[in-house]
Amino acid sequence: METVSTARAFGGIQGVYRHASSATGTDMTFSVYVPPHEPGARLPVVWYLSGLTCTHANVTDKGEYRAACAELGLIFVAPDASPRGDGVADDPAWDMGQGAGFYVDATQAPWSPHFRMWSYVTDELPALIAGQFPADMTRQSILGHSMGGHGALTIGLTFPDRYRAVSAFAPIVAPGQVPWGVKALGGYLGPDRARWRRHDAVALIEDGASLPALLVDQGDADPFLAEQLRPGLLRDACDAAGIDLTLRMQPGYDHSYLFIATFMADHLAWHAARLR
């Protein structure tokens, strides 16, 4: 693991790191904030998954999480949203390819050699964090934004015993029913829609996956709300399954990091209460 940069913030250390990933076959860059702590302490870990077009840098630069993490004693990990680099397949459109990994392990050409973000986020990177940082891996939680909200929901629903809290900002809740998701899941996983269901939060809940509680914030001025995000589908699925969903429609907020930064501390406090 190579240290790209470190800087002190709110008494802790904000670092950016790079390593050669066996999952993706590329170098991967991620950021980690470690709050101030006593020597020898092991701290809970919050995973943040980014949305379309983003790298680790978007939330690191604009997410405004460090003050809350320092106060609450949370390690905050932000991986990239996809593999990148020469030889990595891409697409001219911004919603497919580099910057748009959708947190799946691709099975279709030309994506399958590198686009293995499910394995990277759920297996390889956690092992690296456990070995290199003062992380208590018995206390993990996960959240994300947009495409990353989709990733957080599907990963949290798949591993309910691993993540004590799951939340999202403006998530793609039913990718099998919206244009972004249909394009990505079809491209990465092929035309068999039955294979898409394990990467669709609404479908996972319909198929029996469950969590004690979910927190979702959604801006009602989000331009993607009606066509791509459709949080009502998640509300209906949770109601039918008896999952305690707190869905907060935030008046006047859009899809940007200004929206995320406004409610980030709320989410981190919600996570911290479940990570004690």
Side-chain angles (χ1 to χ4, degrees):
M1 186 180 76
E2 172 192 355
T3 300
V4 177
S5 67
T6 59
R8 184 163 291 279
F10 297 95
I13 297 295
Q14 175 66 67
V16 176
Y17 308 91
R18 182 184 300 116
H19 74 119
S21 167
S22 59
T24 67
T26 67
D27 284 350
M28 294 293 290
T29 302
F30 61 96
S31 77
V32 181
Y33 177 72
V34 178
H37 60 281
E38 294 297 325
R42 310 300 286 185
L43 307 174
V45 180
V46 177
W47 295 89
Y48 177 89
L49 303 185
S50 295
L52 287 163
T53 76
C54 292
T55 71
H56 71 282
N58 296 75
V59 70
T60 305
D61 294 346
K62 298 183 286 188
E64 298 187 21
Y65 55 85
R66 281 172 285 267
C69 285
E71 178 182 352
L72 298 166
L74 303 173
I75 294 175
F76 190 96
V77 183
D80 201 344
S82 81
R84 302 176 193 269
D86 295 339
V88 177
D90 203 5
D91 189 285
W94 59 273
D95 57 354
M96 191 76 179
Q98 295 188 38
F102 265 82
Y103 303 99
V104 303
D105 284 350
T107 60
Q108 305 298 302
W111 314 107
S112 55
H114 301 293
F115 281 75
R116 297 184 54 79
M117 290 301 295
W118 181 272
S119 291
Y120 181 70
V121 168
T122 65
D123 184 20
E124 184 178 18
L125 189 55
L128 186 64
I129 296 300
Q132 298 290 332
F133 298 91
D136 179 356
M137 302 304 280
T138 69
R139 293 186 291 160
Q140 298 183 68
S141 68
I142 191 165
L143 74 157
H145 169 233
S146 192
M147 178 187 71
H150 141 75
L153 292 175
T154 56
I155 290 170
L157 285 161
T158 302
F159 301 103
D161 295 331
R162 181 187 302 185
Y163 302 99
R164 295 194 188 182
V166 181
S167 72
F169 301 100
I172 305 169
V173 303
Q177 301 184 53
V178 301
W180 280 345
V182 169
K183 178 179 180 180
L185 297 183
Y188 293 137
L189 302 177
D192 182 1
R193 286 177 173 256
R195 300 180 65 187
W196 301 5
R197 294 186 69 82
R198 68 185 295 257
H199 294 290
D200 182 311
V202 167
L204 280 166
I205 293 169
E206 290 173 347
D207 292 344
S210 187
L211 289 167
L214 292 170
L215 171 63
V216 172
D217 274 306
Q218 172 65 63
D220 72 0
D222 190 323
F224 306 115
L225 174 58
E227 183 178 27
Q228 306 284 9
L229 306 178
R230 302 182 65 187
L233 294 174
L234 181 65
R235 180 192 59 228
D236 293 345
C238 287
D239 285 348
I243 296 173
D244 180 11
L245 169 65
T246 300
L247 173 58
R248 307 192 304 187
M249 297 300 298
Q250 302 292 359
Y253 283 90
D254 59 15
H255 201 69
S256 72
Y257 264 88
L258 295 173
F259 158 63
I260 296 168
T262 300
F263 300 104
M264 178 65 83
D266 285 359
H267 281 244
L268 291 173
W270 192 83
H271 283 244
R274 290 156 176 79
L275 289 167
R276 293 191 180 115

